[in-house]
Amino acid sequence: MPETASSVLHLDVDHLLRDDGTTSGPVRLTVRDGRIAAVTPIPAPANGLLAMPAFTNAHDHGRGLRTLAFGAVDGPLESWLPSVGREPRLPAFERAAVAFARMAETGIAATMHVHGFQAGSLADAVDEAAQVARAAAAVGIRVAFAPAFRDRNPFSYGNEAAFLAAADPALRTALLAPAPGPWRPGIDDYLAFVETIATFEGPHFSVQYCPAGPQWVHETSLAAIARASARSGRRIHMHLLETRHQREWADFVHPQGLVGVLDRIGFLSPRLSVAHGVHLRDDEIDLLAARGVIVSVNTSSNLRLRSGIAPVAAFAGGGLAFGFGLDGLPIDDDDDMLREMRLVHLLHQGVGFDDAVPPARLLRAAMRDGRSAVLGRDDGPPPLTPGAIADVVILDHAAMTRDRIDESVDPLAVLLTRATRHHLVGLLVGGAAVVENRRLVTVDREALETRLLDAARCAWRAAPPDDDHMRRLRTTVRRFYGCGCHAGGFVAEG
């Protein structure tokens, strides 16, 4: 691990892996004032370490309590989403800090945090944002806070009357009854709220606009956010065409083309990143690329929620920038970005001799394009070059290659075949140690997790969810989308 002399840090490694896929080593990385000051060849240190640019989680929800813990079992997104409402009310600091700590333990230096409010009022929402900012600073990773905004389609995509008709009478009554819930501002109040919480911005916390998705936000509100972004320069993050049902809704409501509509209202720009894009068509990919939009590819989440497999080869071939996001649903529920990269690599590298998405392109996505979505495009020189911000991952390359007899095997091939979070030795964020000697040193993640679970269990006992209501709701969701009601279909009353 690093040696420090006054304010200068020296890190010697056997291998340096750059974001373009090239490797070199042995080298000494010199860090001064949070930036790479020099990269100097040295005699072999033989410590078995590999340094590479830190990862960016380009789309997540920062839930310290994993969704399975409160009964949101994997399934189609449309029936899974109501289950997320089973999450008990939790202390905002611990809820975020546990999630950020787990990310840091897998080498993530920056994350897009799409925040779902538990607060019931404006004042509580402001405090929630402040607690997330405090959690980001405590853990020491960079967080783009994207407060989700919705102002239409509370039950489904499209015809609310059809959804209520598909429900049985008892569920219909429950859905229409006034009930306390998370704070839901109008568009003007939302824009003002973003400016209020922007006062919390600092080295570890920035704010983006976040309309939840075109199926959940009125076109006039999307246009208002686009205008606000153009005035302020503030970035926007939004879900887009995650599932087949969202595609069908979009084609029914916008037969002229949803992405074209977004373009005409000024929503598409280099300030925009979108999550998923599983059901984007080639012409839409071309338009997004032309406007400088970045897509977050969320492979594990899309598999777990049965949304499909994003056309990553088409993104790469069409010049559309993309990064990777865990979306709070990594393949093994363990926030392992190294395993996520391997999954994306195996799914999208191509068939036979068709090199659809080469490994170097994946590295650029994980370390540069996703980072641009979170932190903005003007982030300085390429990673691990003089002048670059010192966000660095250190891995135990020797542990990955204990059985190797061919010393010429490329470290990139080793990384994409074997690396997991368990090989992480260190993480520097802005030159500061967040993980050192395999241990998170900024916060006590286990203690935070214990407090979070104690609070969750207490809240669950005090107000257990209505399982019968949830079963009825899932049945209605399946019936609604099964009849095509989201795209002009009809179902008789339940």
Side-chain angles (χ1 to χ4, degrees):
M1 279 301 293
E3 296 179 4
T4 303
S6 64
S7 62
V8 180
L9 178 150
H10 299 293
L11 172 64
D12 294 349
V13 296
D14 280 330
H15 306 280
L16 182 70
L17 175 60
R18 302 178 186 86
D19 69 328
D20 62 0
T22 61
T23 59
S24 64
V27 299
R28 167 170 289 177
L29 293 174
T30 301
V31 177
R32 182 181 291 109
D33 298 326
R35 293 184 177 270
I36 304 294
V39 182
T40 310
I42 58 172
N47 58 17
L49 298 180
L50 177 148
M52 62 189 295
F55 304 120
T56 295
N57 185 1
H59 177 74
D60 210 288
H61 294 270
R63 299 185 189 95
L65 190 65
R66 296 180 178 97
T67 54
L68 183 64
F70 51 84
V73 178
D74 294 356
L77 175 79
E78 286 77 14
S79 60
W80 176 85
L81 279 174
S83 303
V84 177
R86 295 166 62 88
E87 182 184 15
R89 181 76 180 267
L90 299 170
F93 174 80
E94 284 82 357
R95 185 184 185 222
V98 169
F100 300 158
R102 286 200 300 253
M103 293 179 201
E105 289 173 330
T106 188
I108 291 169
T111 186
M112 180 74 71
H113 174 74
V114 177
H115 188 78
F117 284 102
Q118 295 193 313
S121 69
L122 169 59
D124 288 344
V126 171
D127 182 65
E128 229 173 89
Q131 296 304 316
V132 175
R134 188 164 72 89
V139 175
I141 70 171
R142 309 177 197 279
V143 173
F145 184 82
F149 171 79
R150 297 177 58 159
D151 65 356
R152 71 166 167 174
N153 293 340
F155 306 132
S156 62
Y157 317 143
N159 192 332
E160 184 175 319
F163 186 87
L164 293 171
D168 64 55
L171 177 62
R172 192 179 308 137
T173 299
L175 292 175
L176 292 174
W183 178 63
R184 293 285 188 207
I187 185 59
D188 292 338
D189 289 338
Y190 175 78
L191 294 175
F193 169 76
V194 168
E195 295 310 311
T196 296
I197 63 173
T199 60
F200 304 143
E201 290 185 323
H204 297 284
F205 187 80
S206 60
V207 180
Q208 299 194 11
Y209 300 111
C210 186
Q215 65 275 7
W216 292 308
V217 180
H218 285 293
E219 189 177 318
T220 53
S221 298
L222 292 173
I225 290 172
R227 291 192 298 271
S229 172
R231 286 193 303 268
S232 66
R234 189 174 301 284
R235 294 191 60 82
I236 306 171
H237 185 68
M238 181 180 75
H239 298 82
L240 181 65
L241 295 173
E242 180 175 357
T243 72
R244 174 171 59 90
H245 295 110
Q246 291 176 10
R247 173 85 264 176
E248 292 165 350
W249 171 87
D251 290 345
F252 174 70
V253 175
H254 300 288
Q256 71 275 45
L258 170 63
V259 176
V261 169
L262 294 175
D263 191 40
R264 284 191 287 278
I265 65 174
F267 196 78
L268 305 186
S269 82
R271 297 181 304 279
L272 174 67
S273 67
V274 296
H276 303 292
V278 176
H279 296 274
L280 284 167
R281 293 190 286 251
D282 287 348
D283 61 314
E284 296 168 328
I285 291 170
D286 291 343
L287 180 55
L288 293 174
R291 297 294 182 262
V293 176
I294 302 170
V295 177
S296 172
V297 175
N298 310 290
T299 302
S300 291
S301 171
N302 295 152
L303 292 173
R304 290 179 60 176
L305 300 183
R306 297 166 63 174
S307 299
I309 299 174
V312 175
F315 295 168
L320 178 59
F322 62 93
F324 303 140
L326 295 174
D327 198 22
L329 293 167
I331 195 69
D332 290 328
D333 233 6
D334 60 357
D335 297 292
D336 193 334
M337 184 58 84
L338 286 157
R339 186 173 278 127
E340 186 75 8
M341 284 180 60
R342 179 157 54 257
L343 179 63
V344 176
H345 171 58
L346 293 173
L347 280 176
H348 300 291
Q349 63 183 321
V351 177
F353 295 101
D354 175 21
D355 297 321
V357 184
R361 182 66 187 85
L362 294 183
L363 289 185
R364 194 181 98 192
M367 299 164 191
R368 297 216 61 178
D369 291 344
R371 185 178 177 91
S372 294
V374 173
L375 302 178
R377 293 179 183 272
D378 186 15
D379 196 32
L384 300 189
T385 62
I389 295 173
D391 289 357
V392 186
V393 160
I394 302 102
L395 298 175
D396 188 345
H397 184 263
M400 291 183 258
T401 56
R402 291 191 189 282
D403 61 342
R404 185 178 61 174
I405 58 175
D406 183 352
E407 296 294 328
S408 67
V409 175
D410 186 351
L412 176 55
V414 174
L415 181 87
L416 291 174
T417 304
R418 293 185 171 179
T420 72
R421 66 197 310 272
H422 302 294
H423 295 110
L424 185 78
V425 175
L427 171 66
L428 303 179
V429 180
V434 175
V435 174
E436 188 170 11
N437 295 322
R438 304 177 187 272
R439 186 175 67 86
L440 184 70
V441 296
T442 51
V443 297
D444 185 340
R445 194 258 306 157
E446 291 183 357
L448 286 168
E449 201 160 33
T450 297
R451 294 209 301 267
L452 183 71
L453 287 172
D454 286 347
R457 288 174 177 138
C458 181
W460 190 270
R461 288 192 298 268
D466 185 339
D467 290 337
D468 184 61
H469 174 86
M470 185 56 60
R471 280 193 294 271
R472 292 181 178 192
L473 187 54
R474 286 174 177 158
T475 298
T476 302
V477 167
R478 180 177 286 271
R479 190 170 184 226
F480 176 84
Y481 290 102
C483 79
C485 292
H486 58 296
F490 173 78
V491 64
E493 287 197 9

